[in-house]
Amino acid sequence: MASPTSDGAPGWIGARLKRKEDERFLYAAGRYVADVRLPGLKDVAFVRSDVAHGRLLGVTKPEGADVFTLADLGPLNDLVAGPEIAEFRTSLYPPLAGDKVRFVGQPVAAVIAATRAEAEDIAAEVLVETEELGAVTDAVAALAPDAPRLHEAWADNAFIAAPVIAGDQDALAAAPVVVRRRLKMNRQATVSLEGRGVVAHYDRRYGELIVHLSTQGAHVMRRGLAEVLGLAENRIRVIAPDVGGGFGGKNRLTPEEIAVCAMALKTGQPLRWIEDRREHLIASLHAREHTYEIALHAEADGTIIGMSGDVYIDAGAYALWPTGAFMEASMAARNLTGPYKARALNLQTYTVATNKAPMGPYRGVARPGACFAIERMVDELAAELGMDPIEIRRRNLITEADLPMRTVGGLSLDTGHYPAALDMACEMIGVDKVRARQKAGEADGRVIGLGIAVYTEQSGHGTSEWMKRKARVVPGHESANVRMHPDGTVDIAVGIQNHGQGLETTLSQIAATELGLHPDAINVRYGDTATTPFGFGTFASRSIVFSGGAVAKGCREVAAKARRIGAALLQVSADDVRIEAGEIVGPAGSVSLAEVARAATLRPEFLPEGEDALLETTVSYEPADSAGVFSYGAHAVVVAVEPLTGAVDLLDYVVAEDCGTVINPLIVDGQIVGGVAQGIGTALYEEIPFDPELGQPLATTFGDYMVPCASEIPDIRIGHLVTPARVTEYGVKGMGEGGAIAPPAAVGNALADAFRQSRAQFLETPFTPRRVSDAVAAADGEGAR
Amino acid sequence: MIDLSFTLNGAPVSQRVEDRTSLADLVREGHGLTGTHVGCEHGACGACTVLVDGEPARSCIVLAAMCEGRAVTTAEGLVDDPVMAELRRQFHDKHALQCGFCTPAMMISARDIIARHGAAAPATIRKELAGQICRCTGYAPIVAAIAAAGAALNPSSDAAAAAPHVAATAAGASDAS
Ligand code: FES
Ligand code: FES
């Protein structure tokens, strides 16, 4: 057991405590949605569209089979999704297809049977008749006037087109150096190892629909289900048991989940649907597909002025409830100046509908694309000017003296020391050594490249920031219920969802710190709308800021009351006692928290005059400033490339990062390494290409969708800076996403560095062997001409 | 339907199964052994790994019918195994799990790596782990945990030692050494 170690921080803050949640998993006793067992449980399989775009003419059900179409689910209410912006075109996403199908994999009908295998047998016999229409598979071409229209009522295929114009436009126009490129980050899936899953049944005891759901936010999902099903919220209980990864992908309400709930209500039967991997790859939410046609404007000495151009987001066929993919475009645009002192932005953004699965959030949301774009462009600018990529960054990075500052994109950067992160990463990777090795050349003919990328990660943003984004649900607070039992042990119920982040441990550390208890005396509960106060869930690197803050606040209230009661029991003034190691300690004696709690619950006759019973409170919390607090860091990577085959090996990878005060370094490092691994997936391996004419997804199994394994991911070395936030409890900043933001940029820059002589272009992820060898060959061909 | 007799975590089982039933479905749905997870159902992620006659097998692509007369051991059947106990300690210590979905199968694979390689070097472990997907941890902590467990269980091993000396003692598990 770790002891409280901290750099001046109190109690358990900063302790390298091993995770409380590990034990059940280590004994193979985790309980995920697919593990829920109910008497009479039946399985559901979906019939899915096999065409990308078509008019749905009819569905023929096999004789005697239990098959549902949209008409059989109803009546359902419309679930309007997307931001509350008048210009945003809505596209209702029905739980089963209505008059049209708009992507391969869209659910058309649902089959109930005793087992999944039987349900799939029946599904194969359901006849779906469609009149095929032209498929739209490219977000730029989709905007052509003659492109097939996904949603007939729309004037074109854009959900929304919006400019982001800010800062000194004259300086932009007068820039002596303008570097133009077209960059693309391709489409991928989120690939939690556990797919989506739902088990729904109607329970007569409270007259409620009980939904076991693999989700990142049970309360918000209940709200969505209540709206679409037309049920009161207190007639739905959503339980998220253990969740096998989410990464953003389980933060939207999806049609299969709604359909299963509707069918459970209709039939009165307990029903289950567990997503299989093919369904996950073609029909869960997709992520990342951005195209940048942009120009970086600079002075002749490498001083960045700003960015102009067009940003295209391929948002897929529909907006998912609640907020769709709308923030991709604005976040990408607003983050396009990165951590640099840019003065101007002139961007046009397009969020475009295509015949693909809907886009949703995935770890980093928009910023992996934006970071890729700006950081690749900075290296291209350096190459153009014959400057060193590290030098050009030093020249442009926002410094400690500039902070806090509002960027030209409108982000309120708070605290940090960005150049120090760059220096630390350079030092860790050993720039001189790498340069010397490059000069010496490799015996095996491989080429070495060094790449660097700097990023910021907005976290813990609340009401003001989400209102700016016109979010349909504004995650501006989190809540905690703190309850001390008669024996002095504590239950804490929170509205966020732990699905790998270690929040049972970190929230216990916070509670233990405030209550003067050991973390083992704290039990953290979550993932059940019936037993936890309302909360938004775990996403956007918000949980430690919001939920941690709520737990601290609630525990402080309980601690204050315990001190009052303890002081009364000790017959001293409440000002003269402190809470420490399970005791209320006075000047001349102490009383255990258990005794205090006993008085507060079982033996009210010991309570002081006027003091209410119970040591329990429910509080909500939002940081003092809701613009968010910014973690940041620098990644550096050394690659070895086989020029002929394009095979890329990562020889070394370092991260220098600052996420403010660290509650638990073990968990922070775990989040970084896991995030970097996903970022490397984006950089080198993961992609869902589509047949351009037919709109068929071409990666439908792990045979053609490459998820990195242990042999692809190197050891990640991590260095820490600590600049506490000013507006959060303990100075924490969120950091769940940062690891995934910078790797595509860092790897791309390393490839460009490896081939800087030939100026081979590395502008499209993932950098598959084919893309790399093509880029090398194209540049060599040009050199030879 | 066919008649099937085999041992499951040391206990004899005789039952009828559909020809097409996978071993993963049989242990999960038929026997409530939900520690075997299903992450792809096409033999690529390793989340469903169990032991068949002591050898790791991907239960999603093994038909139950193929297990006639064999000994099947799931993660639940290895709870008392001393190698698993050491792996639990090291996985916990190195933060080698986050969501926990890959963990039981990852540990079964780890146990097999230790059985075959003893105190294996990280490079060996990485190679051997190819095909076990973990989406959360980035693998480094898993590799470190397996290396530490291998070293702890093979205190005298020098790297050249060819013969692993870890005996499996769990019910039904006969090790493949
Ligand atoms: S579920 Fe068997 S290998 Fe993936
Ligand atoms: S811990 Fe989540 S997949 Fe490995």
Side-chain angles (χ1 to χ4, degrees):
Chain A
M1 188 59 58
S3 59
T5 59
S6 56
D7 323 299
W12 294 88
I13 307 302
R16 200 178 187 82
L17 193 66
K18 289 177 216 167
R19 295 200 326 167
K20 297 177 65 167
E21 45 270 80
D22 283 356
E23 182 170 299
R24 61 184 182 273
F25 302 121
L26 291 169
Y27 280 91
R31 187 164 181 262
Y32 303 88
V33 168
D35 306 337
V36 172
R37 296 288 177 268
L38 296 169
L41 185 66
K42 291 197 170 182
D43 274 306
V44 173
F46 285 92
V47 179
R48 296 177 182 277
S49 175
D50 55 11
V51 302
H53 192 191
R55 232 170 285 291
L56 184 57
L57 302 177
V59 176
T60 313
K61 306 172 183 178
E63 200 77 27
D66 216 352
V67 180
F68 285 72
T69 59
L70 181 60
D72 306 319
L73 295 181
L76 296 175
N77 295 321
D78 288 347
L79 194 58
V80 180
E84 291 177 327
I85 303 174
E87 303 83 60
F88 186 89
R89 295 173 179 142
T90 53
S91 60
L92 288 180
Y93 188 5
L96 296 170
D99 54 342
K100 276 183 91 176
V101 288
R102 294 187 175 88
F103 68 92
V104 173
Q106 179 172 355
V108 174
V111 180
I112 300 174
T115 67
R116 175 65 173 255
E118 284 168 40
E120 287 182 12
D121 287 347
I122 298 166
E125 286 169 30
V126 174
L127 203 68
V128 179
E129 253 183 291
T130 45
E131 174 200 332
E132 220 171 319
L133 302 166
V136 177
T137 56
D138 181 89
V140 180
L143 297 176
D146 59 343
R149 198 69 43 79
L150 264 85
H151 302 279
E152 277 79 3
W154 296 9
D156 60 32
N157 279 320
F159 283 95
I160 187 166
V164 176
I165 297 170
D168 187 347
Q169 299 300 309
D170 294 342
L172 210 55
V177 183
V178 179
V179 179
R180 280 175 210 287
R181 294 287 183 272
R182 183 179 208 270
L183 301 108
K184 181 146 195 222
M185 176 166 281
N186 275 304
R187 201 173 195 81
Q188 63 171 103
T190 58
V191 195
S192 49
L193 196 53
E194 178 211 32
R196 290 176 292 158
V198 54
V199 171
H201 75 285
Y202 186 75
D203 186 279
R204 298 213 171 271
R205 182 164 179 235
Y206 289 115
E208 65 184 354
L209 180 71
I210 300 183
V211 185
H212 287 83
L213 191 64
S214 188
T215 179
Q216 296 174 221
H219 290 275
V220 173
M221 294 307 143
R222 170 168 71 171
R223 170 76 202 164
L225 286 172
E227 270 186 56
V228 67
L229 299 172
L231 289 181
E233 285 193 56
N234 67 356
R235 296 293 176 209
I236 303 180
R237 176 180 181 188
V238 175
I239 301 171
D242 286 324
V243 171
F247 315 116
K250 292 173 182 169
N251 199 31
R252 292 288 182 272
L253 189 58
T254 58
E256 293 90 341
E257 295 159 347
I258 298 168
V260 168
C261 289
M263 290 190 294
L265 284 173
K266 286 260 152 178
T267 62
Q269 266 170 356
L271 296 180
R272 167 173 78 168
W273 170 69
I274 304 300
E275 181 180 63
D276 69 25
R277 191 52 58 183
R278 178 171 177 275
E279 291 178 302
H280 179 84
L281 289 172
I282 69 172
S284 72
L285 52 83
H286 282 174
R288 293 285 190 263
E289 191 169 358
H290 293 194
T291 304
Y292 297 87
E293 290 177 352
I294 49 172
L296 182 58
H297 301 238
E299 309 284 2
D301 66 357
T303 303
I304 292 170
I305 297 169
M307 192 78 99
S308 68
D310 297 321
V311 179
Y312 299 89
I313 309 295
D314 186 330
Y318 299 99
L320 285 165
W321 192 86
T323 41
F326 75 96
M327 49 196 184
E328 289 278 332
S330 70
M331 279 177 71
R334 294 169 69 202
N335 279 284
L336 254 186
T337 55
Y340 303 113
K341 286 182 267 196
R343 285 179 282 154
L345 277 178
N346 189 326
L347 300 163
Q348 186 62 39
T349 70
Y350 303 91
T351 302
V352 185
T354 60
N355 292 115
K356 302 177 186 174
M359 177 180 270
Y362 173 46
R363 202 173 197 169
V365 185
R367 288 157 298 181
C371 179
F372 177 64
I374 175 69
E375 288 296 84
R376 282 298 299 112
M377 291 299 279
V378 167
D379 270 32
E380 292 293 310
L381 174 66
E384 203 78 26
L385 297 174
M387 290 180 70
D388 180 77
I390 298 166
E391 258 336 291
I392 203 167
R393 286 189 167 76
R394 286 215 178 95
R395 174 180 296 268
N396 286 289
L397 273 178
I398 291 163
T399 67
E400 206 174 6
D402 301 319
L403 294 174
M405 90 171 240
R406 204 178 139 83
T407 67
V408 67
L411 299 172
S412 298
L413 303 176
D414 58 335
T415 59
H417 196 159
Y418 303 171
L422 175 63
D423 290 345
M424 185 185 261
C426 290
E427 163 114 27
M428 287 169 70
I429 203 94
V431 172
D432 294 343
K433 256 204 241 138
V434 178
R435 292 294 178 219
R437 181 173 172 180
Q438 281 179 312
K439 215 173 250 165
E442 299 295 299
D444 59 8
R446 293 198 299 178
V447 185
I448 303 289
L450 166 66
I452 291 185
V454 188
Y455 71 94
T456 62
E457 175 189 7
Q458 184 179 28
S459 76
H461 35 297
T463 308
S464 68
E465 179 67 14
W466 291 94
M467 283 185 52
K468 216 186 280 172
R469 302 178 187 183
K470 305 280 187 239
R472 191 164 290 274
V473 165
V474 176
H477 56 88
E478 269 305 326
S479 55
N481 170 272
V482 180
R483 177 186 296 176
M484 189 175 283
H485 300 296
D487 65 356
T489 60
V490 176
D491 267 315
I492 293 186
V494 288
I496 48 99
Q497 180 69 31
N498 185 32
H499 46 287
Q501 296 84 351
L503 289 157
E504 290 172 42
T505 306
T506 47
L507 295 181
S508 292
Q509 287 177 254
I510 289 172
T513 300
E514 298 299 337
L515 292 170
L517 289 170
H518 192 280
D520 286 350
I522 316 286
N523 204 12
V524 176
R525 297 173 183 268
Y526 53 89
D528 186 342
T529 55
T531 59
T532 63
F534 179 86
F536 293 92
T538 291
F539 55 92
S541 303
R542 67 190 297 277
S543 288
I544 204 66
V545 170
F546 280 94
S547 194
V551 167
K553 182 175 169 183
C555 288
R556 267 176 219 146
E557 275 184 21
V558 167
K561 185 167 180 180
R563 275 197 302 271
R564 289 198 301 273
I565 299 169
L569 293 175
L570 293 169
Q571 298 184 327
V572 297
S573 153
D575 296 335
D576 294 334
V577 299
R578 59 184 200 280
I579 192 163
E580 192 181 291
E583 311 258 313
I584 301 293
V585 184
S590 64
V591 55
S592 74
L593 268 177
E595 264 176 87
V596 171
R598 184 168 164 269
T601 48
L602 298 172
R603 301 299 297 268
E605 72 269 26
F606 293 118
L607 281 177
E609 207 42 47
E611 193 75 76
D612 286 342
L614 300 188
L615 281 168
E616 176 167 355
T617 186
T618 300
V619 299
S620 80
Y621 169 85
E622 177 172 33
D625 181 339
S626 61
V629 289
F630 285 75
S631 294
Y632 63 93
H635 290 201
V637 59
V638 180
V639 301
V641 190
E642 222 303 327
L644 276 183
T645 63
V648 178
D649 226 359
L650 304 182
L651 301 183
D652 195 9
Y653 201 112
V654 304
V655 175
E657 72 86 52
D658 183 348
C659 62
T661 303
V662 170
I663 304 292
N664 184 328
L666 188 70
I667 287 171
V668 162
D669 285 358
Q671 290 293 308
I672 294 169
V673 174
V676 170
Q678 290 187 3
I680 289 171
T682 302
L684 290 173
Y685 303 107
E686 296 179 43
E687 179 178 10
I688 302 181
F690 281 76
D691 178 287
E693 263 82 59
L694 299 173
Q696 292 289 332
L698 300 177
T700 62
T701 70
F702 282 154
D704 25 46
Y705 188 93
M706 301 295 159
V707 179
C709 280
S711 37
E712 281 80 47
I713 305 295
D715 277 324
I716 315 290
R717 299 188 290 126
I718 302 170
H720 293 286
L721 296 154
V722 179
T723 317
R726 293 203 187 91
V727 297
T728 62
E729 287 293 345
Y730 315 109
V732 295
K733 297 179 175 183
M735 51 75 56
E737 300 170 274
I741 292 175
V747 171
N749 282 345
L751 290 167
D753 179 64
F755 298 95
R756 64 195 177 287
Q757 307 298 356
S758 70
R759 295 290 300 275
Q761 296 285 294
F762 297 95
L763 303 172
E764 181 172 355
T765 67
F767 299 109
T768 56
R770 162 67 58 87
R771 284 199 181 99
V772 171
S773 57
D774 281 357
V776 172
D780 288 350
E782 261 164 46
R785 265 203 292 272
Chain B
M1 295 289 262
I2 51 167
D3 290 314
L4 174 67
S5 296
F6 68 113
T7 62
L8 181 55
N9 294 334
V13 175
S14 289
Q15 64 178 112
R16 283 177 80 72
V17 296
E18 252 190 287
D19 303 16
R20 64 174 173 185
T21 301
S22 72
L23 180 55
D25 281 351
L26 181 74
V27 300
R28 284 185 52 81
E29 307 302 328
H31 296 276
L33 295 168
T34 54
T36 299
H37 297 155
V38 172
C40 72
E41 290 175 272
H42 50 258
C45 76
C48 64
T49 303
V50 301
L51 298 178
V52 177
D53 287 346
E55 298 269 8
R58 292 172 182 226
S59 61
C60 70
I61 49 169
V62 172
L63 290 174
M66 293 158 66
C67 296
E68 176 65 35
R70 295 178 186 267
V72 174
T73 310
T74 67
E76 291 90 343
L78 291 167
V79 156
D80 296 326
D81 176 78
V83 182
M84 290 301 245
E86 184 60 31
L87 283 165
R88 273 198 299 272
R89 250 192 303 283
Q90 297 297 346
F91 269 58
H92 185 48
D93 190 65
K94 305 289 187 294
H95 187 20
L97 62 155
Q98 290 185 21
C99 79
F101 198 76
C102 71
T103 307
M106 203 58 94
M107 288 172 56
I108 291 176
S109 283
R111 180 179 174 279
D112 180 64
I113 292 171
I114 291 172
R116 288 184 293 111
H117 296 277
T124 308
I125 296 169
R126 283 187 182 278
K127 203 164 116 236
E128 293 283 343
L129 271 187
Q132 292 289 139
I133 292 176
C134 173
R135 190 56 161 171
C136 299
T137 63
Y139 301 104
I142 295 175
V143 173
I146 298 171
L153 291 162
N154 297 274
S156 61
S157 86
D158 51 72
H165 22 250
V166 175
T169 57
S174 65
D175 216 275
S177 50

